[in-house]
Amino acid sequence: MTNHWIDLKNSDCILIMGSNAAENHPISMKYVTEAQSRGGKLISVDPRFTRTSAKADIYAPLRSGTDIAFLGGMIKYIIDNKLYNEADVVAYSDASFLVGDGFDFKDGLYSGYDAGKRAYDASKWTYQLDASGVPKKDLTLQDKRCVFQLLKTHYSRYAPDQVSKITGTPKKDLLEVYKAYAATGAKGKAGTIMYAMGWTQHTVGVQNIRAMSIIQTLLANMGVAGGGVNALRGESNVQGSTDHGLLFHILPGYIATPATNWPKLEDYLKRRPKSSDPLSANWWQNEPKYMVSLLKAYFGDAATANNEFGYPWMPKLDAGKAYSWLDLFDAMYNGSIKGFFAWGMNPACSGANAGKTRAAMKNLDWMVNVNLFDNETGSFWRGPGMDPAKIKTEVFMLPACVSVEKEGSITNSGRWMQWRYQGPKPLGESRPDGDIILALGNKLKELYKKEGGAFPEPILGLKWDYADSHGEFEPHKVAKTVNGYFLEDVTIDGTVYKKGTLVPTFGLLQANGSTSSGCWVYCGSYTEKGNMAARRNLQDAPNGIGLYPEFAWAWPVNRRIIYNRASVDLQGQPYDPKDWVIKWDGSKWVGDVPDGPWPPLENLQSPNAKARWPFIMTRHGFATIFGAGLKDGPFPEHYEPLECPVEKNYMNAQRINPTAPVWGGKADAFATCDPRFPYVGTTYRVSEHWQTGLMTRYQSWLMEMQPQMFVEMSEELAALRQIKNGERVKAVTARGQVECTAIVTKRFKPFKLADIVVHEVGFPWHYGWRWPASGKEESVNLLTPSTGDPNTRIPESKAFMVNIVKI
Amino acid sequence: MTKAFFVDTTTCTACRGCQVACKQWHGLPGDKTTNHGSYQNPEDLNFTTYKLVRMTEAEIDNKLRWLFFADQCRHCLEPPCLEAAGEPTAIYKDRATGAVLYTRVTKDLDADSIISSCPYNIPRKGPDGSLAKCDMCNDRVSNGLLPACVKACPTGTMNFGEYKDMREYARVRLAEVRHKFPKATLLNPDKVRVIYLTAFEPTTYWEYAVASQREFDMTRAMAMQRLFRPFTDLFARLG
């Protein structure tokens, strides 16, 4: 979230699209309800009328996988009706930047496409730079090559009738949503978006969010209270695990994983683009300080300037190769991965095309399953369709204790790092994950020391001092390492920081090995003043908008609303004087922690030389409507899901995202416009279960409420297929089948597209054969396809084609 | 100072935290259910389910609504069940809180007549013939805690406090909600300690959501009849 949970209450219009907050983030509705009671509007856009829709002032249905068409139509509506905040768009976004002649868009393809590689050469998608290397601008937004005009042209095709033909949303519903949301472009009004996997799990996942980011930029909703772009994370600490490098392509703090195209530390450290604009903070230019401090946190004294601080020891990605979920299980399926730790995960149920994943596990020599309970993954060898006699995989179960049985921190969607104390002691032989990892590391070090091995240096060089006096994992030691230390006496601006003390803020991290930090964005979370995440002060900030700055700690630098420099005018005065975030008092900023201490710009023609442009994380300092850094183009464009119900894309000549990854194996079968699979299928969660259900399916109070796998369908489809409410049916896709109980409901309606009627059905995610004992309540991921977003490679679990048959 | 609930159905998201919290506090088992084509489960209140979120799909004025009604005992100011029982060791009112409480002795009552005395169709009979329903978490409340269902509610649907304050809050919310829902209404606010606010016709939510004056009169009449029943009958059943 750019903002945070409590801040939702400050919104004048909340769009919940690509998420179902009432069912999956129930506590958020406390703040949504508060916004509504203060006169704010709630809009729910969802293929199905949900418990969120039940509370909404406006509900609009759309066919799964057509969000860009819907949002593109909103961009057009905002531009055509001049509802954007022109002053803000000119001052703080790249709308005025001129784009180079190499950029073009024709027949659904951007310039630079290579069909053989299913990839673009994105080097042509650039701004025009002046002689000093600063983007050329047209502040009147009239130049045909300025971003604003290109945007306008691009979305001129997204007229309501055309959008409605694709999304199936009645035109009047579309316009009602557009009108209500676009009204937040008025000065002092704030609109916000709450999205989740309903937007990410598509072959156009990143572009769904880009489309909304463009809308938020046009309406000047960034950085303001009750605004922003807010991802509701699917697990209470997913934000924390992402911050700390969960994904294959990033290390802790969102710095890139080393790769073969940067063989030396020097290559790695110089790869970030420089800005020639003295007013651009271009914050990533500080990355060398963060990378070197990270290497010092990993390798301690073993990391020196002479050995590139241990950079040669870091594993390197093969340049251009992806190692995401689908890629890893494909490699396992093809026999090239032989050992596997399933740590706090249940891939036999949780990932797309789970049938392939289960088959892949048969190729393993060993698997270590670290979890609270045995699950469908640890027991895959005795699952449906498996012959244990023919499976050689050795499975080790390591029982982990549950979160409340250990001390540590979680970071919620709003970037708040909150320290939690241990409740009950771990049951039986279960242990905290930290203990298990610590013991594993100790053993590896011992074996490498004794036996040598192919490449012992990284393991032997690893700083591994996280044990307490009893040899057990000590979370405070890790939290301090994450924050970072001065490793020698350092003098900065006349202040001496003593060796061994904690670094108070990331602005003081160094690239010369004199500081360490395990995750630079968390620097400042645990300082000589104490554990900031453990704070529980209930005093609000002077602006009274619910920041509670001394309750827990938010990254970065306890900033509660990021991009907050965009919430003020050029004089530093808030657009919204009532719910203001920051303001300039003549000598300093007051309110939230600003995005840097620099004074206001004052005016655009000759800005204060000490000022900085507000979007400090981008190269040039501006919100980027023209998103040149992505694999699938600078503007979001509607493409159909890999499996879709229409022969052609009504918007352009490409049916699917031309860069979407497609696997070609037998286990990856897909079927589009295939009469065997006539209905759109989607997946979701229910309030009553959690993830793959491992923690909830054994809980009788929750099973009582949602006892069985189900499929929801419209009354019209049920009549067509003669299916009765409550009847058991079978859902079938090109990859697998699952038995479900039919819920026939008014909450799904058939979609009227251009010349056809399309039915959609939906399935919950939470079941698996291990429990309940019948073994018949199976994972919906036996149905979902092997494809995903080209940027993140998250699977397309939200739109696929399915048939429903009677049993 | 007696207590009351205010249940604002206009903010209820049917997260069903209240339903689970009730079972958890009372140590009640989860029922073995099947999906019968609805999220609402168990299908009805029962001997081990005192709180149930009823979920109804309805088209009202050409708009689809999904109505949620967190059903429970209303703890009537003059409880027909108490009068029908006429046996304070079985059904009595807690003087401090106003909670209407059932004991194990209810097994010696005529369960069907108690159940039919309730205008809200709340009490349920167990295998031993005793009756069960919401007890206002009287043990929690007497110790200064909120009822479990109220504690669990994230959206301000379930409220609890002094009777006078809850009545006042209900009036305030009704006035606010009427801007959006002109037909919003409070259900029997003068007769119960669990005051519901609904946005639409209450019987669309649930057949027994609201009681008519006639129903109260009928149960009163039944109770009076009960009072004149020969004592021998009662002693026989108690024996």
Side-chain angles (χ1 to χ4, degrees):
Chain A
M1 290 172 117
T2 57
N3 295 40
H4 60 102
W5 292 110
I6 297 172
D7 183 63
L8 295 168
K9 77 182 168 93
N10 297 315
S11 193
D12 296 298
C13 189
I14 298 174
L15 174 60
I16 300 187
M17 182 169 173
S19 77
N20 176 8
E23 303 197 41
N24 305 324
H25 302 85
I27 314 300
S28 71
M29 291 304 281
K30 175 186 171 95
Y31 304 106
V32 173
T33 304
E34 200 173 329
Q36 284 182 289
S37 71
R38 289 157 53 130
K41 275 204 169 72
L42 173 61
I43 303 172
S44 163
V45 180
D46 198 293
R48 170 188 63 131
F49 190 97
T50 66
R51 282 181 256 191
T52 302
S53 316
K55 296 295 110 179
D57 299 286
I58 301 170
Y59 166 71
L62 92 168
R63 171 171 64 96
S64 283
T66 63
D67 301 72
I68 290 174
F70 192 105
L71 297 174
M74 189 169 347
I75 294 173
K76 177 174 165 58
Y77 181 90
I78 291 167
I79 294 176
D80 288 353
N81 294 288
K82 297 205 163 32
L83 296 167
Y84 50 94
N85 181 325
E86 186 166 358
D88 192 274
V89 166
V90 169
Y92 298 154
S93 84
D94 65 355
S96 66
F97 290 18
L98 305 188
V99 171
D101 291 337
F103 168 76
D104 194 13
F105 177 78
K106 218 168 22 187
D107 299 334
L109 289 172
Y110 294 93
S111 47
Y113 186 64
D114 180 334
K117 292 184 183 157
R118 293 181 58 76
Y120 286 104
D121 168 11
S123 65
K124 299 184 171 184
W125 311 336
T126 54
Y127 302 127
Q128 298 179 32
L129 303 180
D130 66 16
S132 58
V134 176
K136 288 186 191 169
K137 297 178 192 175
D138 170 22
L139 295 180
T140 68
L141 306 183
Q142 297 305 310
D143 191 298
K144 283 287 165 216
R145 293 302 291 178
C146 82
V147 168
F148 185 80
Q149 289 299 330
L150 292 174
L151 180 80
K152 187 175 173 180
T153 306
H154 191 88
Y155 292 103
S156 61
R157 297 168 295 134
Y158 286 66
D161 287 315
Q162 180 72 357
V163 170
S164 177
K165 242 162 78 171
I166 294 170
T167 62
T169 313
K171 188 173 157 188
K172 86 170 171 36
D173 293 351
L174 270 181
L175 292 173
E176 193 183 5
V177 173
Y178 292 171
K179 186 177 175 203
Y181 197 79
T184 64
K187 194 179 168 192
K189 294 285 178 194
T192 193
I193 170 66
M194 296 166 71
Y195 78 89
M197 267 85 95
W199 268 1
T200 57
Q201 290 179 349
H202 290 281
T203 40
V204 292
V206 170
Q207 297 285 10
N208 281 331
I209 297 145
R210 283 265 312 137
M212 193 65 207
S213 304
I214 291 171
I215 289 170
Q216 292 296 70
T217 302
L218 291 173
L219 299 174
N221 278 330
M222 297 307 294
V224 302
V229 175
N230 295 305
L232 318 181
R233 311 307 306 257
E235 193 269 349
S236 48
N237 198 22
V238 162
Q239 186 62 51
S241 54
T242 314
D243 299 339
H244 291 289
L246 173 80
L247 301 172
F248 78 90
H249 69 298
I250 43 175
L251 296 177
Y254 300 90
I255 58 183
T257 306
T260 50
N261 50 337
W262 310 307
K264 310 278 287 175
L265 179 63
E266 194 190 345
D267 307 317
Y268 180 94
L269 295 184
K270 68 180 186 200
R271 60 181 223 297
R272 290 270 183 194
K274 299 220 169 354
S275 167
S276 309
D277 185 345
L279 294 185
S280 175
N282 188 23
W283 198 264
W284 279 115
Q285 68 179 306
N286 295 300
E287 193 188 50
K289 301 169 190 173
Y290 310 145
M291 180 61 174
V292 173
S293 294
L294 177 62
L295 291 169
K296 288 297 292 181
Y298 283 157
F299 299 116
D301 293 341
T304 66
N306 290 334
N307 67 3
E308 300 175 65
F309 298 105
Y311 182 81
W313 298 339
M314 293 293 287
K316 312 278 187 303
L317 304 176
D318 283 346
K321 197 172 165 198
Y323 300 79
S324 74
W325 183 279
L326 292 173
D327 301 292
L328 289 180
F329 285 103
D330 190 59
M332 193 188 291
Y333 186 81
N334 290 314
S336 61
I337 289 179
K338 291 295 186 189
F340 176 52
F341 278 85
W343 205 307
M345 286 215 166
N346 189 10
C349 291
S350 62
N353 201 0
K356 179 181 175 184
T357 302
R358 293 176 188 185
M361 289 172 182
K362 292 195 283 190
N363 295 333
L364 293 169
D365 293 336
W366 55 264
M367 174 199 294
V368 180
N369 190 29
V370 189
N371 217 312
L372 306 183
F373 313 116
D374 180 40
N375 55 10
E376 288 79 5
T377 299
S379 277
F380 82 94
W381 51 273
R382 57 188 177 117
M386 296 286 176
D387 180 357
K390 291 188 179 149
I391 296 170
K392 64 176 186 349
T393 313
E394 189 172 8
V395 180
F396 303 89
M397 172 78 198
L398 300 182
C401 69
V402 73
S403 63
V404 297
E405 294 171 334
K406 58 193 178 185
E407 187 173 9
S409 75
I410 69 120
T411 302
N412 73 12
S413 303
R415 297 167 287 103
W416 290 24
M417 176 194 185
Q418 304 182 61
W419 199 261
R420 294 178 174 187
Y421 300 98
Q422 185 185 38
K425 296 257 184 276
L427 270 182
E429 290 183 273
S430 68
R431 294 169 73 180
D433 296 300
D435 252 12
I436 298 172
I437 295 169
L438 186 68
L440 180 65
N442 286 340
K443 194 71 190 173
L444 282 170
K445 273 176 160 295
E446 185 190 311
L447 287 171
Y448 270 100
K449 200 169 174 185
K450 205 163 74 187
E451 300 175 8
F455 187 31
E457 291 85 355
I459 304 291
L460 294 176
L462 194 64
K463 186 175 82 73
W464 201 243
D465 53 356
Y466 304 117
D468 64 12
S469 55
H470 308 291
E472 284 173 4
F473 177 73
E474 168 53 272
H476 290 273
K477 284 192 176 176
V478 175
K480 288 177 181 176
T481 299
V482 163
N483 178 83
Y485 289 98
F486 289 103
L487 303 173
E488 53 195 68
D489 289 356
V490 177
T491 306
I492 302 164
D493 293 337
T495 305
V496 180
Y497 298 92
K498 300 298 280 182
K499 177 180 176 176
T501 61
L502 294 155
V503 182
T505 179
F506 59 66
L508 302 176
L509 293 174
Q510 305 294 318
N512 61 4
S514 61
T515 57
S516 69
S517 176
C519 185
W520 71 276
V521 296
Y522 281 78
C523 190
S525 62
Y526 205 132
T527 68
E528 293 299 321
K529 288 183 184 157
N531 183 354
M532 297 293 133
R535 297 179 302 174
R536 292 294 183 268
N537 186 330
L538 296 176
Q539 183 74 38
D540 201 358
N543 45 9
I545 55 170
L547 300 179
Y548 300 99
E550 292 181 18
F551 187 97
W553 185 87
W555 72 260
V557 291
N558 206 30
R559 184 175 300 133
R560 304 281 157 143
I561 297 180
I562 58 181
Y563 307 121
N564 55 28
R565 292 178 83 90
S567 72
V568 296
D569 62 20
L570 296 173
Q571 314 312 318
Q573 297 312 303
Y575 289 129
D576 183 350
K578 195 165 112 318
D579 293 333
W580 59 279
V581 182
I582 57 168
K583 63 181 164 195
W584 182 252
D585 74 356
S587 59
K588 63 176 188 310
W589 294 100
V590 292
D592 194 10
V593 178
D595 271 311
W598 312 286
L601 289 155
E602 292 169 18
N603 74 66
L604 275 189
Q605 276 65 34
S606 55
N608 181 343
K610 289 183 182 159
R612 293 291 179 274
W613 304 118
F615 288 85
I616 62 171
M617 300 311 291
T618 62
R619 179 182 175 191
H620 300 293
F622 293 80
T624 50
I625 291 170
F626 187 76
L630 297 177
K631 294 214 158 89
D632 44 1
F635 293 127
E637 174 67 8
H638 170 68
Y639 300 108
E640 289 291 329
L642 175 68
E643 290 191 330
C644 64
V646 289
E647 294 282 357
K648 68 179 189 95
N649 181 349
Y650 297 121
M651 197 59 84
N652 63 57
Q654 302 293 318
R655 192 173 66 215
I656 66 165
N657 184 338
T659 61
V662 179
W663 281 263
K666 188 164 164 275
D668 308 298
F670 58 91
T672 206
C673 293
D674 184 327
R676 289 176 303 162
F677 310 109
Y679 312 124
V680 177
T682 193
T683 64
Y684 38 74
R685 307 180 182 202
V686 297
S687 311
E688 296 79 8
H689 284 294
W690 177 239
Q691 315 289 53
T692 65
L694 195 65
M695 292 170 78
T696 54
R697 279 187 272 131
Y698 295 94
Q699 220 299 333
S700 64
W701 297 323
L702 301 174
M703 277 305 263
E704 167 190 279
M705 295 191 290
Q706 291 288 11
Q708 287 175 295
M709 179 64 187
F710 61 80
V711 54
E712 288 181 279
M713 66 182 74
S714 67
E715 292 170 343
E716 291 82 354
L717 177 59
L720 191 70
R721 302 305 301 257
Q722 296 179 309
I723 290 166
K724 287 196 292 292
N725 191 30
E727 181 179 345
R728 287 293 271 188
V729 294
K730 202 164 61 176
V732 190
T733 67
R735 295 154 297 278
Q737 54 185 50
V738 173
E739 199 179 305
C740 328
T741 302
I743 295 183
V744 178
T745 172
K746 295 181 194 305
R747 296 178 295 99
F748 253 126
K749 289 280 178 208
F751 292 102
K752 280 198 191 100
L753 307 189
D755 44 12
I756 49 169
V757 170
V758 168
H759 296 276
E760 179 161 342
V761 298
F763 308 88
W765 176 48
H766 312 285
Y767 296 92
W769 61 268
R770 254 324 245 109
W771 193 261
S774 72
K776 292 195 164 180
E777 312 305 329
E778 260 284 25
S779 171
V780 70
N781 277 316
L782 295 171
L783 304 179
T784 52
S786 292
T787 184
D789 181 273
N791 300 285
T792 62
R793 302 179 87 79
I794 192 170
E796 187 164 59
S797 313
K798 290 291 179 264
F800 52 92
M801 297 305 290
V802 60
N803 195 13
I804 305 293
V805 295
K806 288 169 81 86
I807 295 177
Chain B
M1 295 285 272
T2 58
K3 307 287 184 185
F5 291 82
F6 167 55
V7 186
D8 183 352
T9 67
T10 67
T11 61
C12 179
T13 57
C15 75
R16 300 196 277 187
C18 56
Q19 194 175 316
V20 174
C22 178
K23 290 225 161 180
Q24 184 181 30
W25 179 255
H26 293 97
L28 295 167
D31 294 3
K32 293 224 180 321
T33 58
T34 54
N35 187 321
H36 50 91
S38 164
Y39 283 21
Q40 183 181 313
N41 225 335
E43 289 186 75
D44 195 7
L45 292 170
N46 60 47
F47 187 65
T48 55
T49 305
Y50 307 160
K51 177 96 186 168
L52 177 72
V53 179
R54 300 186 184 276
M55 306 167 85
T56 307
E57 293 169 14
E59 267 161 29
I60 302 171
D61 300 333
N62 292 320
K63 256 184 132 166
L64 179 59
R65 302 284 180 182
W66 200 4
L67 305 176
F68 308 133
F69 191 85
D71 201 9
Q72 66 174 86
C73 170
R74 309 297 197 278
H75 297 278
C76 298
L77 299 176
E78 291 176 34
C81 62
L82 185 149
E83 291 176 36
E87 177 45 60
T89 63
I91 300 180
Y92 68 103
K93 204 167 10 168
D94 183 275
R95 268 195 215 152
T97 61
V100 177
L101 300 170
Y102 286 15
T103 73
R104 282 296 171 88
V105 180
T106 50
K107 74 177 189 300
D108 299 320
L109 301 175
D110 173 13
D112 293 341
S113 73
I114 303 295
I115 293 167
S116 60
S117 78
C118 176
Y120 305 103
N121 187 22
I122 295 295
R124 293 292 184 273
K125 187 163 82 168
D128 67 349
S130 67
L131 292 165
K133 64 161 194 70
C134 161
D135 63 0
M136 202 191 264
C137 285
N138 208 44
D139 47 357
R140 290 176 60 92
V141 173
S142 320
N143 286 284
L145 299 174
L146 288 170
C149 56
V150 178
K151 182 78 183 162
C153 178
T155 59
T157 301
M158 296 299 307
N159 302 275
F160 186 79
E162 300 301 328
Y163 177 73
K164 273 201 309 203
D165 297 344
M166 285 298 111
R167 284 209 57 165
E168 178 55 24
Y169 184 44
R171 267 197 294 272
V172 169
R173 274 298 289 165
L174 176 67
E176 284 173 7
V177 164
R178 278 208 171 142
H179 294 298
K180 201 184 277 187
F181 303 109
K183 289 182 182 163
T185 180
L186 299 175
L187 311 188
N188 301 126
D190 302 324
K191 300 203 174 291
V192 295
R193 287 182 188 281
V194 182
I195 303 168
Y196 285 80
L197 167 61
T198 58
F200 307 102
E201 168 61 36
T203 52
T204 317
Y205 291 73
W206 165 233
E207 188 183 348
Y208 296 100
V210 67
S212 65
Q213 185 61 44
R214 196 175 57 85
E215 282 169 296
F216 273 101
D217 291 345
M218 265 171 54
T219 53
R220 174 74 49 82
M222 270 174 50
M224 293 302 279
Q225 252 178 2
R226 168 69 56 90
L227 279 180
F228 294 111
R229 204 167 41 201
F231 282 105
T232 48
D233 180 28
L234 183 67
F235 288 132
R237 284 187 295 112
L238 285 176

